[in-house]
Amino acid sequence: MVMAAMLMASPANAQTDSESVSEAVSGLWTKAKQGVTRSSRRIKEEMNGSGLVDVDGHSYMHIYTNDLFRESQAANFRTACTNIFKGKYPTVKILSVVIPQEEWTETTTRSLGRISKYVKTVYCYVLAQDGEDGYINARFSFRRVKKVGKTWVDDADNWPLWERTDVLTPSVYRTLKDM
């Protein structure tokens, strides 16, 4: 009798175990989908918040000419961007190097629903003329990261990070400059 009860209980336990495995997989899948959705939303917000403009069906960065950043390292940031830009484009005429924000942009990063670190970002834009052919507009970023309970650390691997380059025809340049 005991043997029969054990044999009957075994398939029931196997059924329960397989259901909990499928539930676990389903839960992981749901969390993964939510993570992808959140990441996609953040990327979209970052792109929209970074000043992209549609001109003739193409996305371009704004042309910034007002330098608003006044922190002590501002000149060093502009010099670093200029040097990297000149290294890649040595024959262009640099028209402006500006940081069009007054202070660092701060965001938080979450892991499993909890704040895991803070990120500060400042953007530097280099605008140059490429002979009579067009213009080059580049965006660099400087990031500082602070884990919860720690101190701010410069992201040395990407200091600065060359994020984007737009090559502009003279007509696109005029359109963006007039915005």
Side-chain angles (χ1 to χ4, degrees):
M1 202 58 101
V2 172
M3 290 295 267
M6 290 176 83
L7 287 173
M8 291 176 69
S10 293
N13 284 341
Q15 183 76 17
T16 304
D17 288 343
S18 67
E19 286 176 0
S20 55
V21 168
S22 69
E23 289 173 2
V25 169
S26 178
L28 287 172
W29 178 251
T30 301
K31 286 180 183 177
K33 283 185 355 184
Q34 290 171 346
V36 168
T37 302
R38 279 192 305 272
S39 296
S40 299
R41 190 176 329 117
R42 278 192 212 128
I43 290 168
K44 184 177 179 182
E45 289 168 358
E46 180 71 19
M47 291 302 289
N48 289 338
S50 63
L52 295 180
V53 178
D54 184 80
V55 178
D56 297 330
H58 298 283
S59 294
Y60 297 99
M61 295 178 290
H62 278 283
I63 293 176
Y64 294 102
T65 55
N66 292 332
D67 194 24
L68 303 175
F69 198 68
R70 300 288 177 241
E71 273 198 25
S72 61
Q73 290 184 304
N76 295 339
F77 291 169
R78 288 189 295 275
T79 300
C81 294
T82 301
N83 292 339
I84 294 170
F85 189 87
K86 282 182 179 180
K88 186 169 183 177
Y89 302 111
T91 62
V92 300
K93 176 184 174 189
I94 294 180
L95 302 176
S96 66
V97 180
V98 299
I99 301 173
Q101 62 197 81
E102 292 182 14
E103 55 190 38
W104 293 85
T105 302
E106 293 189 39
T107 57
T108 57
T109 301
R110 295 180 180 270
S111 177
L112 301 173
R114 295 183 177 168
I115 294 174
S116 60
K117 65 181 174 180
Y118 308 96
V119 180
K120 286 183 179 182
T121 308
V122 68
Y123 297 97
C124 181
Y125 292 83
V126 179
L127 177 65
Q129 187 171 3
D130 186 14
E132 298 298 319
D133 302 315
Y135 298 84
I136 302 169
N137 191 20
R139 178 178 65 214
F140 296 84
S141 66
F142 296 86
R143 282 196 168 80
R144 290 187 172 148
V145 179
K146 179 182 182 259
K147 292 186 178 179
V148 175
K150 306 292 180 181
T151 59
W152 287 102
V153 177
D154 296 342
D155 185 1
D157 293 336
N158 299 308
W159 192 269
L161 173 64
W162 192 323
E163 289 193 352
R164 183 182 171 109
T165 304
D166 289 346
V167 178
L168 315 170
T169 63
S171 65
V172 170
Y173 171 75
R174 284 190 297 276
T175 301
L176 290 170
K177 190 174 180 186
D178 292 339
M179 292 184 142

